[in-house]
Amino acid sequence: MEVNRKRYIEYLIASPTNYSCSNLAVHLGKVSHDKVSDFLAQTRIPTRELWQQVQGIIEDSAEGYLVIDDSVQDKSYSQKIEVARYQWSGLEGRVIRGIGVVSLVHVSHQQGEYNPIDYRIYSPEQDGKTKNQHCREMLLRAVHDKQIKARTVLFDSWYASVENFKFIQRLGLVFYAVIKPNRLVSTSKEAGYTQPEGLEWNQITLQQGIVVKLKELPFKVRLFRLVAQDGSIDWIVTNDPDSNLTTDVVKSKNAIRWKIEQLHRETKQLLGSQACQCRKGRSQRNHIALVVQAWVSLAHSARHLQTTLYQLKHSLYSHYLRKELAHPRIKAFLPSSP
């Protein structure tokens, strides 16, 4: 039986927990493990295939959003995978060995549907690029090559660099970004620079934000102080020219950023994005590419059926469970009644 992209994607969707090459080979029947591993090692799946898959289903408009973030595919227990490296994992809160993936996700304005439209493997040893360079490259291609209409970009403090701010401004886009609490801002030359908490926060500024100069940034932004229910504070800066912005509006926009976290969680929990143990870098890249395409397939079906990805995935095993309960192949071993 042939091993191809379609079959591998359907395997990722159907498999409950095991996503290895050997498991696929066993369940295909009369297919060797080498045939599956050779498929991953010898195929080349460019990132543009993802755009070809999603461009007809995204609901794009100027009111939509582009969200940038990265995740780490944990490879802590394997020291010989080519593209794995030690890097910070926000999920783990520590440095781990893994494969970094920088993603660009489109979120529609009306339905709030989210779809990945681009991604990059973080491997500076191979291409010499930082995560921020990948970020700018994907945004440039989204605007100029893909002709994306969404005008608002959301990201966390990792990508809140002056260079990224200037780049997004030049693209004619609006950003809403989390900055670290130690960033320096100023309301005037006379006032000098201070950290965000050092500004005058009163009922008006807490509601409307404060126009500030971020150090080294040539244009002004508006700074908002968002307090979560647990008391934690997010500092958000934006170049949005809308003078009627309020903290509530900024909070709702910032919340959209978590769609990308949901995507990362779903690819790991439902499709085994971290599970491939092939050593070759090409195999790992292809596995991740097909996981992302599998997510699009699963999400598209879930929306059509008006259910969640988790419910749809788990429903695949309902037929098996009903069959086993009706005619169990493994009987309960119980002591005889006295």
Side-chain angles (χ1 to χ4, degrees):
M1 185 178 290
E2 182 184 5
V3 181
N4 53 34
R5 301 178 195 189
K6 180 177 182 295
R7 199 172 302 281
Y8 195 88
I9 288 172
E10 290 170 348
Y11 164 63
L12 293 173
I13 294 172
S15 182
T17 55
N18 190 334
Y19 303 93
S20 66
C21 292
S22 57
N23 187 54
L24 174 55
V26 166
H27 288 87
L28 283 177
K30 297 184 178 180
V31 172
S32 68
H33 169 274
D34 289 344
K35 191 170 183 179
V36 180
S37 58
D38 286 349
F39 161 73
L40 285 180
Q42 297 170 10
T43 306
R44 182 172 292 273
I45 305 175
T47 56
R48 66 173 179 271
E49 284 195 6
L50 172 62
W51 175 242
Q52 293 168 356
Q53 185 185 23
V54 301
Q55 63 179 327
I57 62 174
I58 64 171
E59 297 180 6
D60 190 26
S61 69
E63 292 76 24
Y65 301 88
L66 294 172
V67 189
I68 300 163
D69 201 1
D70 57 87
S71 66
V72 179
Q73 311 303 309
D74 192 347
K75 304 294 180 182
S76 299
Y77 301 102
S78 180
Q79 300 299 312
K80 297 183 179 180
I81 293 176
E82 291 178 355
V83 290
R85 65 193 309 273
Y86 286 100
Q87 56 196 295
W88 176 261
S89 169
L91 179 64
E92 296 289 336
R94 60 187 176 90
V95 173
I96 65 171
R97 182 173 174 80
I99 300 174
V101 183
V102 186
S103 302
L104 180 63
V105 169
H106 179 280
V107 183
S108 71
H109 171 63
Q110 292 293 338
Q111 302 297 327
E113 293 181 355
Y114 55 101
N115 286 283
I117 62 172
D118 207 347
Y119 68 92
R120 295 289 184 276
I121 303 299
Y122 174 53
S123 183
E125 295 82 2
Q126 292 185 330
D127 57 29
K129 295 181 180 180
T130 66
K131 291 181 180 180
N132 281 288
Q133 286 173 317
H134 285 307
C135 160
R136 293 191 292 273
E137 180 180 296
M138 290 191 294
L139 284 175
L140 183 64
R141 293 191 175 183
V143 173
H144 291 298
D145 297 348
K146 299 179 175 70
Q147 297 290 300
I148 291 292
K149 298 176 184 177
R151 310 313 297 166
T152 302
V153 186
L154 310 172
F155 46 94
D156 66 13
S157 59
W158 182 273
Y159 297 94
S161 67
V162 167
E163 190 171 1
N164 285 349
F165 288 147
K166 292 191 293 186
F167 181 78
I168 294 170
Q169 177 92 341
R170 289 196 300 270
L171 286 178
L173 303 177
V174 170
F175 59 75
Y176 285 78
V178 181
I179 62 170
K180 293 182 178 179
N182 61 354
R183 291 290 287 269
L184 296 178
V185 298
S186 175
T187 55
S188 67
K189 288 184 179 180
E190 295 74 23
Y193 285 98
T194 183
Q195 294 180 0
E197 195 65 73
L199 298 176
E200 183 179 349
W201 295 99
N202 52 44
Q203 287 185 344
I204 295 176
T205 56
L206 285 173
Q207 181 65 14
Q208 300 177 359
I210 302 176
V211 175
V212 300
K213 173 80 166 52
L214 194 64
K215 192 169 186 179
E216 299 183 356
L217 192 64
F219 54 87
K220 291 185 176 181
V221 294
R222 190 178 297 191
L223 173 68
F224 287 85
R225 185 180 188 269
L226 306 186
V227 182
Q229 291 183 347
D230 63 1
S232 61
I233 298 173
D234 272 345
W235 299 99
I236 308 293
V237 294
T238 178
N239 64 338
D240 194 328
D242 184 0
S243 60
N244 296 317
L245 276 180
T246 65
T247 298
D248 289 340
V249 172
V250 174
K251 185 177 292 186
S252 66
K253 290 182 182 293
N254 185 55
I256 294 169
R257 188 167 51 87
W258 297 105
K259 296 282 190 182
I260 199 168
E261 298 287 351
Q262 190 171 340
L263 169 70
H264 292 159
R265 184 173 63 252
E266 289 164 346
T267 56
K268 290 177 180 180
Q269 295 179 353
L270 299 178
L271 299 165
S273 64
Q274 302 184 121
C276 180
Q277 293 302 312
C278 296
R279 294 184 179 182
K280 291 185 177 294
R282 174 54 51 194
S283 300
Q284 290 290 339
R285 289 174 180 273
N286 285 333
H287 174 76
I288 291 170
L290 292 169
V291 163
V292 177
Q293 292 185 26
W295 182 93
V296 174
S297 302
L298 189 62
H300 184 62
S301 294
R303 289 165 191 156
H304 178 71
L305 296 171
Q306 297 184 334
T307 186
T308 69
L309 275 73
Y310 286 91
Q311 289 171 334
L312 181 57
K313 172 92 176 188
H314 296 155
S315 72
L316 298 176
Y317 317 124
S318 294
H319 175 72
Y320 157 78
L321 184 56
R322 291 192 190 98
K323 184 177 179 180
E324 284 300 311
L325 289 174
H327 305 285
R329 286 172 290 181
I330 301 175
K331 309 290 185 180
F333 179 74
L334 299 173
S336 302
S337 299

